[in-house]
Amino acid sequence: MSKMSKKITNKVTWVGKVDWELKTFHGDEYSTMKGSSYNSYLIRDKKNVLIDTVWTPFDKEFVKNLKEEIDLKDIDYIICNHSEVDHSGAFVELMREIPDTPIYCTANGAKIMKGHYHKDWNFVTVKTGETLDIGESKLVFVEAPMLHWPDSMMTYMTGENILFSNDAFGQHYATESLYNDAVDNCELFEEAIKYYANILTPYSKLVIKKIHEVLSFNLPVDLICTSHGVIWKDNPAQIIEKYLEWADNYQENQITIIYDTMWNSTRTMAEAIAAGIQEVDSQVRVKLINAAKEDKNDIITEIFKSKGIVVGSPTVNNRYLHSLGGLLEMVKGLRFQDKYAATFGSYGWGGEAVKLLNADLEEAGFKLVDEGIKNMWVPDKDAIETCKEFGKKLAVEFKPNK
Ligand code: FEO
């Protein structure tokens, strides 16, 4: 019977799970239209080491496959780089068989594992710079708190020059090919930036600090073995450089108009604003997105790429529409920096939506350039002209941050 594992180097074997069917992650918080993988690795040196496991629904399959690769009793150490269930979910099944095997993790990792599984396993807590001798190679631990959980950690393997980075540099991207040079690179980078935008944006200052700290160790890196998606083998530095770029208040020459609409009046306004922007600046990329029809995480990625956003909604029951409500809650949590915003919307009476959108965008840290425009009922020729003029103004006032 052929094994499900994949050999990476003479000493390291991939023993994870590729999940082609996964369409949502973190409950429904993150869309994974291209699936994902839970990468786990087995190191064979004088000592045998397992790095991370897989998500709970695959726990039995994981342990069964692992047994085909190694007698579980021959595993000397387990490294738990991160205790979120997509990587620790198979521990219960695994530790049932080898309950005394030491689990190396951060102090926060041990707390979270106990909080999740309520088991008193043999945790050995480690700090940045501490090492574990496994024979010819050593494992060097690097804590990475809040990238993206308090317990997050990376493990570096000397000799093989592998950084086991866990979530960092990963993507929700199912592939059987395993390496970055063997997959469609447009898809790969779309998923990598989506992952950064939706998960790591609030921690960007820490990302820059941590990358510089790791680079200061001057450790050669031949492979970055992530816990989701591809292994960075061809020029692994490229994803580190991308992270430094994305973490530095990233933006492209893009303005995204995000709206919802009931009878198309607000959509008509959105299109006129877009026309006004393009009239002044034909180089800026303008995208229109109906928030009720597009994937929320893709919208977040477009906001991440934008120097400014224009948000529009009609007024219903004195509020703005719910598709924007959910989205703006996500936006507030992500704490985007250095981005402009403006608002618009149609109304029949009241017209509170624009004011409420302004308040929420301000709370989210956007720089509002105007009090916004409202139009009563269906926009006529003059109203469309007003929207165009508004767009022209935004084209000038949404300046690039670099
Ligand atoms: Fe892939 Fe934070 O778990």
Side-chain angles (χ1 to χ4, degrees):
M1 188 168 62
S2 70
K3 291 191 283 190
M4 298 305 287
S5 57
K6 293 175 185 173
K7 195 167 173 176
I8 296 169
T9 69
N10 281 336
K11 288 185 181 173
V12 180
T13 304
W14 177 93
V15 290
K17 172 69 188 173
V18 181
D19 188 353
W20 287 91
E21 293 186 0
L22 190 78
K23 295 299 165 218
T24 60
F25 187 77
H26 283 164
D28 193 32
E29 185 69 9
Y30 190 112
S31 61
T32 49
M33 304 316 287
K34 295 200 167 61
S36 192
S37 63
Y38 321 104
N39 298 333
S40 166
Y41 302 94
L42 180 66
I43 301 174
R44 285 192 184 83
D45 199 323
K46 292 205 169 59
K47 300 287 186 181
N48 299 317
V49 185
L50 179 71
I51 299 198
D52 296 322
T53 70
V54 302
W55 186 32
T56 325
F58 302 104
D59 57 356
K60 289 186 175 58
E61 180 180 335
F62 169 76
V63 171
K64 177 178 157 286
N65 290 340
L66 191 60
K67 280 180 180 171
E68 285 170 15
E69 189 59 39
I70 188 169
D71 184 334
L72 298 185
K73 296 198 169 45
D74 291 339
I75 296 174
D76 297 287
Y77 311 118
I78 303 170
I79 311 295
C80 176
N81 275 328
H82 177 31
S83 46
E84 195 163 6
V85 291
D86 50 328
H87 309 295
S88 68
F91 265 84
V92 171
E93 197 64 22
L94 179 67
M95 301 314 282
R96 216 191 303 278
E97 309 240 10
I98 46 172
D100 301 323
T101 308
I103 300 170
Y104 286 70
C105 60
T106 62
N108 277 324
K111 275 187 211 157
I112 296 171
M113 288 291 277
K114 284 176 192 169
H116 274 153
Y117 303 109
H118 313 289
K119 302 277 186 196
D120 207 11
W121 291 321
N122 181 11
F123 295 107
V124 181
T125 59
V126 293
K127 292 186 175 146
T128 294
E130 290 183 4
T131 59
L132 176 64
D133 227 318
I134 58 170
E136 290 169 0
S137 289
K138 266 187 195 161
L139 299 181
V140 184
F141 302 109
V142 182
E143 292 168 280
M146 294 320 293
L147 294 175
H148 67 125
W149 270 25
D151 67 312
S152 298
M153 173 174 91
M154 302 187 212
T155 301
Y156 177 81
M157 180 181 181
T158 66
E160 302 291 279
N161 303 339
I162 299 176
L163 181 66
F164 295 96
S165 63
N166 197 265
D167 281 339
F169 313 122
Q171 337 81 44
H172 286 303
Y173 186 49
T175 169
E176 296 297 320
S177 332
L178 213 57
Y179 298 106
N180 67 308
D181 56 356
V183 300
D184 178 332
N185 267 240
C186 289
E187 285 184 352
L188 170 60
F189 277 94
E190 267 174 28
E191 291 305 321
I193 196 171
K194 177 179 171 182
Y195 193 92
Y196 190 96
N198 281 274
I199 293 182
L200 289 167
T201 295
Y203 312 114
S204 287
K205 284 195 174 73
L206 294 175
V207 169
I208 295 174
K209 211 170 143 199
K210 186 53 61 182
I211 288 178
H212 287 303
E213 181 192 322
V214 173
L215 292 177
S216 75
F217 298 157
N218 279 324
L219 299 167
V221 176
D222 293 339
L223 292 174
I224 298 178
C225 288
T226 65
S227 61
H228 297 292
V230 301
I231 291 172
W232 296 92
K233 177 184 180 189
D234 174 43
N235 183 18
Q238 64 180 305
I239 190 62
I240 299 175
E241 284 156 17
K242 275 289 172 204
Y243 263 48
L244 287 172
E245 207 183 313
W246 292 337
D248 188 18
N249 295 347
Y250 183 73
Q251 58 175 234
E252 297 175 17
N253 188 19
Q254 176 172 326
I255 296 173
T256 308
I257 303 175
I258 304 155
Y259 64 93
D260 199 348
T261 192
M262 292 172 73
W263 297 109
N264 289 331
S265 291
T266 301
R267 176 169 66 78
T268 303
M269 294 178 78
E271 287 168 355
I273 293 167
I277 296 170
Q278 292 274 248
E279 207 172 307
V280 168
D281 184 353
S282 61
Q283 291 303 304
V284 67
R285 187 194 307 136
V286 180
K287 289 191 182 176
L288 284 88
I289 300 175
N290 182 325
K293 297 187 180 188
E294 293 285 336
D295 176 80
K296 63 193 182 314
N297 303 103
D298 289 343
I299 303 174
I300 292 291
T301 310
E302 295 303 333
I303 296 173
F304 180 72
K305 290 181 191 168
S306 299
K307 61 184 177 184
I309 60 172
V310 197
V311 183
S313 173
T315 298
V316 182
N317 297 330
N318 308 325
R319 313 297 299 180
Y320 57 74
L321 292 183
H322 81 279
S323 66
L324 292 162
L327 186 73
L328 287 177
E329 279 304 309
M330 291 173 77
V331 167
K332 283 180 201 169
L334 290 168
R335 303 199 295 274
F336 290 108
Q337 304 285 318
D338 249 355
K339 293 189 192 294
Y340 291 96
T343 56
F344 64 100
S346 68
Y347 71 106
W349 59 99
E352 293 83 355
V354 166
K355 204 167 131 194
L356 293 169
L357 287 171
N358 283 343
D360 280 341
L361 285 164
E362 202 152 39
E363 189 188 337
F366 285 76
K367 296 178 277 187
L368 285 170
V369 298
D370 193 280
E371 63 185 15
I373 54 168
K374 319 192 262 194
N375 183 69
M376 199 168 189
W377 302 120
V378 178
D380 61 9
K381 212 171 146 210
D382 286 347
I384 288 173
E385 206 44 50
T386 303
C387 291
K388 276 192 189 167
E389 289 305 315
F390 186 59
K392 287 182 190 173
K393 175 182 151 92
L394 302 183
V396 175
E397 297 201 9
F398 283 9
K399 295 184 177 60
N401 66 356
K402 290 189 185 81

